[in-house]
């Protein structure tokens, strides 16, 4: 039932920044890290969501 | 014909509203659309300007042993509608449910007999599970849209429903996407839930959010769709974008 995940969209600004330092392939990972951090903060704020997510065992 | 099942894990998710507006959006783009009410609440018809006291519908015809195909309506938006219908008593609903439970392919057989324009998209407003009507739809769906509001109860119930759907015996399973409805970016909980879903369920999160917009309930109160009453509203824009994405997703060859 789960379709394969599409490639993470990366803004041109971020891609250009990483390209300038010769690390263009790291741009999606940067966004993933930012997204993961936002999700982690969300779980810390809302105990019920953390429980449902299995992060409050 | 492509078949799309819309359902929610909790009441008030906006399943009926989204079903109606996706059908209206397709019809507005000259794409044949059939909105089918598979929910005994029988509310989908109200989005299509059907009279409140009109009892007609497929379940009512079925319960009376009459051909249900004659219960279809053409809405002012140009979408075709099959209402559920008003049943006389709970016993009638129970009898119908038992009939459908005994014939799991009833809807598949019935849809095959319909003479609809090519490329019709049928959108099914499903009742919450467990429901024999929803089971019939899930057995034929090419795409499942799970509608959820950004609140903790809906989030918890949706996770439970996802597990339940994954255990269904149908193979291959149709693609399933979560659609976040009534999103308000000013609310931290909404933003956090969207962030969580983008991390934990990125692959199944529809790329279009439907924002909370007063024009949606106002449209229903005016017996119109949001496209007609507030065509430049945020919700009209979101719902149009959701319809475009849905069509693209239905056209993909990977199911």
């Amino acid at each position: 039932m789960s379709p394969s995940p599409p490639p993470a969209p990366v803004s041109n600004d971020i891609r250009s920044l990483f390209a300038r330092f010769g690390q263009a392939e790291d741009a999606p990972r940067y966004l993933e890290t930012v997204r993961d951090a936002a999700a982690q903060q969300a779980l810390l704020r809302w105990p019920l969501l953390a429980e449902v997510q299995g992060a409050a065992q | 014909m492509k078949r799309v099942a819309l359902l929610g894990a909790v009441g008030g998710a906006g399943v009926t509203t989204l079903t109606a507006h996706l059908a209206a959006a397709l019809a507005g783009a000259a794409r044949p659309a059939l909105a089918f009410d598979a929910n005994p609440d029988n509310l989908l018809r109200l989005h299509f300007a059907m009279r409140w006291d009109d009892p007609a519908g497929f379940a009512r015809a079925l319960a009376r042993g009459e051909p249900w195909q004659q219960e279809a309506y053409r809405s002012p938006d140009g979408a075709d509608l099959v209402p559920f219908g008003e049943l006389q008593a709970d016993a009638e609903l129970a009898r119908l449910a038992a009939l459908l439970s005994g014939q799991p392919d009833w809807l598949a057989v019935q849809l095959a007999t319909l003479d609809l324009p090519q490329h019709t998209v049928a959108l099914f407003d499903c009742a919450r599970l467990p429901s024999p009507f929803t089971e019939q739809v899930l057995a034929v769906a090419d795409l499942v849209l799970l509608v959820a509001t950004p609140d903790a109860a809906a989030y918890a119930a949706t996770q439970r429903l996802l597990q339940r759907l994954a255990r269904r015996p149908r193979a291959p399973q149709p693609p399933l996407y979560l659609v976040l409805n009534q999103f308000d970016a000013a609310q931290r909980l909404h933003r956090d839930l969207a962030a969580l879903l983008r991390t934990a369920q990125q692959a199944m999160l529809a790329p279009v959010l439907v924002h909370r917009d007063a024009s949606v309930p106002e449209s229903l109160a005016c017996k119109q769709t949001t496209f007609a009453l507030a065509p430049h509203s945020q919700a009209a824009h979101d719902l149009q974008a959701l319809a475009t994405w849905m069509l693209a997703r239905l056209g993909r060859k990977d199911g």
Side-chain angles (χ1 to χ4, degrees), chain B residues 165-223:
Chain B
L165 290 171
R167 286 197 301 267
R168 289 173 54 78
R170 183 181 162 189
Q173 296 274 13
L176 181 149
Y177 285 88
L178 277 170
V179 180
L180 215 45
N181 186 30
Q182 298 179 30
F183 182 78
D184 180 356
Q187 294 198 34
R188 169 163 269 177
L189 178 58
H190 290 201
R191 294 198 305 274
D192 280 348
L193 271 163
L196 261 183
L197 289 170
R198 285 191 190 107
T199 305
Q201 266 129 1
Q202 183 200 0
M204 62 170 65
L205 185 62
V208 180
L209 291 171
V210 181
H211 290 82
R212 178 178 287 174
D213 189 327
S215 71
V216 175
E218 287 171 3
S219 302
L220 178 58
C222 290
K223 298 187 71 168

Side-chain angles (χ1 to χ4, degrees), chain B residues 4 6 15-37 44 47-48 73-82 119-125 145 225 227 239-240 242-244 246-247 250:
Chain B
V4 181
L6 290 100
V15 172
T16 304
T17 301
L18 261 59
T19 306
H21 282 83
L22 288 174
L26 296 183
R31 175 92 188 213
L34 173 70
F36 194 109
D37 195 350
L44 182 62
H47 288 271
F48 292 99
Y73 287 76
R74 169 80 35 99
S75 77
D77 295 297
D80 290 329
L81 163 72
V82 177
H119 306 307
T120 295
V121 177
L123 297 133
F124 294 88
D125 176 11
L145 299 182
T225 64
F227 301 128
L239 292 162
Q240 190 69 56
L242 186 65
T244 304
M246 180 188 71
L247 269 185
L250 285 171

Side-chain angles (χ1 to χ4, degrees), chain A residues 1-6 8 35-36 38-39 42-43 45-46 48-49 52-53, chain B residues 152 155-156 159 173-174 176-177 188-189 192-193 196 198-200 202-204:
Chain A
M1 187 165 284
S2 308
S4 57
R35 199 168 48 210
D36 288 350
L43 291 176
R45 260 192 293 275
W46 312 106
L48 176 55
L49 302 188
V52 172
Q53 199 62 38
Chain B
Y155 183 74
Q159 299 306 315
Q173 296 274 13
L176 181 149
Y177 285 88
R188 169 163 269 177
L189 178 58
D192 280 348
L193 271 163
L196 261 183
R198 285 191 190 107
T199 305
Q202 183 200 0
M204 62 170 65

Side-chain angles (χ1 to χ4, degrees), chain B residues 29-231:
Chain B
R31 175 92 188 213
L34 173 70
F36 194 109
D37 195 350
N39 189 332
D41 288 345
N42 195 25
L43 294 174
L44 182 62
R45 66 202 178 99
L46 300 181
H47 288 271
F48 292 99
M50 200 170 151
R51 279 192 59 85
W52 164 247
D53 54 4
D54 187 341
F58 89 94
R60 180 184 166 90
L62 206 57
R64 296 174 164 213
E66 296 167 357
W68 68 269
Q69 292 86 345
Q70 291 172 12
E71 303 296 313
Y73 287 76
R74 169 80 35 99
S75 77
D77 295 297
D80 290 329
L81 163 72
V82 177
F84 188 88
E86 290 294 324
L87 298 177
Q88 295 280 350
D90 288 348
E92 217 171 34
L93 180 62
R95 269 200 308 277
L96 208 53
L99 174 82
L100 293 181
S101 296
Q103 298 180 39
D105 61 346
W106 178 85
L107 184 62
V109 171
Q110 297 295 318
L111 291 177
T113 66
L114 295 181
D115 185 19
L116 293 170
Q118 204 186 5
H119 306 307
T120 295
V121 177
L123 297 133
F124 294 88
D125 176 11
C126 294
R128 274 185 290 153
L129 287 169
S131 157
F133 302 101
T134 299
E135 291 290 352
Q136 293 274 338
V137 177
L138 289 175
V140 300
D142 298 298
L143 177 66
V144 179
L145 299 182
L146 195 49
V147 184
T149 47
D151 62 81
Y155 183 74
T158 298
Q159 299 306 315
R160 184 67 53 82
L161 179 57
L162 285 171
Q163 292 167 2
R164 181 179 188 156
L165 290 171
R167 286 197 301 267
R168 289 173 54 78
R170 183 181 162 189
Q173 296 274 13
L176 181 149
Y177 285 88
L178 277 170
V179 180
L180 215 45
N181 186 30
Q182 298 179 30
F183 182 78
D184 180 356
Q187 294 198 34
R188 169 163 269 177
L189 178 58
H190 290 201
R191 294 198 305 274
D192 280 348
L193 271 163
L196 261 183
L197 289 170
R198 285 191 190 107
T199 305
Q201 266 129 1
Q202 183 200 0
M204 62 170 65
L205 185 62
V208 180
L209 291 171
V210 181
H211 290 82
R212 178 178 287 174
D213 189 327
S215 71
V216 175
E218 287 171 3
S219 302
L220 178 58
C222 290
K223 298 187 71 168
Q224 296 182 47
T225 64
T226 305
F227 301 128
L229 188 80

